[in-house]
Amino acid sequence: MALHFEREEFAARLDRLTASMREENLDAMLLFAQESMYWLTGYDTFGFCFFQCLVVKADGAMTLLTRSADLRQARQTSTIERIVVWTDRTNADPALDLKNLLSDLDLLGERIGVEYDTHGLTGANCRKLDNQLHSFAEMVDASYLVSQLRLIKSPAEIAHVRRAASLADAALDAGLPLIKAGGDEADILAAMQGAVFSGGGDYPANEFIIGSGQDALLCRYKAGRRKLDENDQLTLEWAGSFAHYHAAMMRTVIIGEPTPRHIELYEACREALDAITAILKPGTTFGQVFDAHSDVMDRRGLTRHRLNACGYSLGARFTPSWMEHQMFHAGNPIVIAPDMTLFVHMIIMDSEAGAAMTLGQTYLTTADAPESLSAKSLDLIIAP
């Protein structure tokens, strides 16, 4: 079987989940998030774009409801023993199949947690789910139960993240020689993604971000490529991905001579990142991390040019985003603990000056100071 962890680790994760379910008085969980299924069982698929659900009872029994196309996928990649297939057909309502399954599992009238906040449960399917189950059982929004358990990484998970981080470094090494006047974004992107693949890595959960000129001020991937000018700026956000675990990085590279504004914005990014890494340790809240970022940016007069978040937790994620739920934004009460993998990014987009600057790295929290998982310098990169 194509498992990335020992069965004992999966069993320990199930024990943690059922313990949390008991604390919340849940008789069962309906998992729709693909990363939850992967973390709990190893189940690896992009079939979550259709209706599928992993039912976990409080006694640890698990049943997967999925389509025929994913039957063998589940058998080959997971520890799931019981798999039920719902049939594709005109006007199919797989939520009814789920209701029948829950009845077979003797869950009528019980208290059931649901992962609502996930791309694995579309609005249309959610309406079908609620329509079928509103009078069947007490439905509770438990979107973050597994997500919170996944925040602290096991030694085996950390090993995968370290491998992902080495692939992120390799991607930067592959792309840098191509970043120069006349260099083509297409070649840079191909080299960076190719380095991850040739190193044994995976597709990332979202596209690498690449943009130059005015597009360097964008925070998302967009279609279309251009060649670099003699004096230009190139924003890159990418991640190494191994066994679906991510380690992200972010840089704005200056081609030619940096403007005084670029230097000013880089210094702000570096100061803010240093302020964060000084407190990125147990006892600090995610909200306090954001405050450290905003304090530096606002003091430098960059309030309207900064973002309202400066990073998030990373782990095993699936399309369309490698971001986990837990973000560094104002007021977030989540407390940092050892063995979290956290991506910290400084992003300044000055549309008035047409200048972009970013700086981002993934860190592993420890009992004290964080460990950068990248071996690369944080210095401003200036290409010829």
Side-chain angles (χ1 to χ4, degrees):
M1 296 178 69
L3 296 176
H4 297 288
F5 299 95
E6 298 296 329
R7 285 182 175 271
E8 291 77 11
E9 173 135 351
F10 288 119
R13 294 174 186 179
L14 181 59
D15 287 344
R16 290 175 60 199
L17 174 57
T18 53
S20 293
M21 290 168 62
R22 287 192 294 272
E23 291 176 3
E24 299 296 327
N25 295 315
L26 296 175
D27 299 295
M29 277 286 295
L30 305 185
L31 303 186
F32 289 96
Q34 184 58 46
E35 53 270 15
S36 294
M37 301 184 205
Y38 179 77
W39 177 81
L40 189 62
T41 72
Y43 180 37
D44 191 349
T45 182
F46 61 75
F48 63 91
C49 58
F50 299 97
F51 188 101
Q52 68 171 6
C53 179
L54 180 63
V55 182
V56 183
K57 294 186 67 175
D59 62 5
M62 295 186 291
T63 305
L64 176 68
L65 177 69
T66 190
R67 298 168 65 244
S68 59
D70 279 299
L71 172 63
R72 292 160 188 82
Q73 195 89 6
R75 287 175 176 168
Q76 181 67 14
T77 67
S78 80
T79 61
I80 303 169
E81 295 183 356
R82 187 185 181 196
I83 304 168
V84 176
V85 172
W86 66 269
T87 303
D88 295 285
R89 58 195 181 276
T90 303
N91 298 321
D93 185 355
L96 176 58
D97 295 83
L98 178 59
K99 179 180 178 180
N100 292 334
L101 171 59
L102 297 177
S103 181
D104 291 343
L105 295 173
D106 199 25
L107 289 170
L108 176 64
E110 300 290 80
R111 181 176 163 88
I112 300 176
V114 183
E115 286 188 322
Y116 282 110
D117 189 3
T118 170
H119 298 98
L121 183 61
T122 65
N125 283 334
C126 186
R127 291 183 68 179
K128 293 177 181 178
L129 179 76
D130 287 346
N131 181 58
Q132 291 291 345
L133 299 183
H134 76 278
S135 62
F136 177 86
E138 180 186 357
M139 310 302 289
V140 178
D141 188 346
S143 296
Y144 311 115
L145 191 66
V146 177
S147 181
Q148 294 283 2
L149 295 176
R150 295 177 59 245
L151 254 176
I152 297 176
K153 307 301 189 290
S154 70
E157 289 180 294
I158 292 171
H160 287 337
V161 176
R162 289 188 185 281
R163 180 74 179 272
S166 71
L167 293 174
D169 282 355
L172 181 60
D173 289 339
L176 280 178
L178 305 174
I179 302 176
K180 56 188 176 183
D184 195 317
E185 288 181 2
D187 294 333
I188 297 165
L189 187 60
M192 294 182 71
Q193 185 64 82
V196 175
F197 286 150
S198 63
D202 305 308
Y203 286 106
N206 58 256
E207 300 90 340
F208 286 8
I209 296 167
I210 183 168
S212 58
Q214 274 299 118
D215 290 345
L217 280 72
L218 302 181
C219 294
R220 298 286 184 261
Y221 171 86
K222 58 172 280 295
R225 305 284 179 264
R226 69 182 289 270
K227 293 186 178 180
L228 301 176
D229 294 331
E230 288 188 6
N231 287 287
D232 215 328
Q233 55 186 354
L234 177 70
T235 293
L236 298 166
E237 184 178 13
W238 72 102
S241 178
F242 185 79
H244 293 294
Y245 284 81
H246 292 75
M249 297 177 68
M250 196 170 193
R251 297 288 190 277
T252 296
V253 181
I254 303 301
I255 297 88
E257 188 71 23
T259 66
R261 186 57 166 167
H262 280 128
I263 298 298
E264 180 184 1
L265 297 184
Y266 167 75
E267 290 174 348
C269 286
R270 187 62 183 267
E271 182 184 350
L273 188 60
D274 288 345
I276 286 174
T277 54
I279 64 170
L280 199 69
K281 58 184 66 175
T284 301
T285 68
F286 277 46
Q288 288 170 329
V289 170
F290 175 78
D291 291 343
H293 153 267
S294 61
D295 287 350
V296 172
M297 298 295 180
D298 297 351
R299 176 168 44 79
R300 286 175 168 266
L302 297 171
T303 304
R304 67 185 185 278
H305 304 305
R306 65 165 172 82
L307 302 186
N308 294 319
C310 64
Y312 41 83
S313 174
L314 280 173
R317 288 285 291 180
F318 289 74
T319 305
S321 173
W322 64 51
M323 296 187 292
E324 295 193 328
H325 287 128
Q326 301 81 12
M327 300 186 70
F328 299 131
H329 55 63
N332 190 338
I334 293 174
V335 179
I336 292 173
D339 298 330
M340 293 181 177
T341 50
L342 305 175
F343 177 48
V344 181
H345 61 62
M346 306 296 102
I347 301 175
I348 308 175
M349 302 302 184
D350 184 348
S351 297
E352 297 163 10
M357 188 53 60
T358 65
L359 189 62
Q361 207 97 314
T362 298
Y363 294 88
L364 172 68
T365 59
T366 71
D368 190 23
E371 174 191 348
S372 172
L373 292 174
S374 171
K376 298 303 177 183
S377 168
L378 292 171
D379 292 345
L380 176 62
I381 302 175
I382 303 175

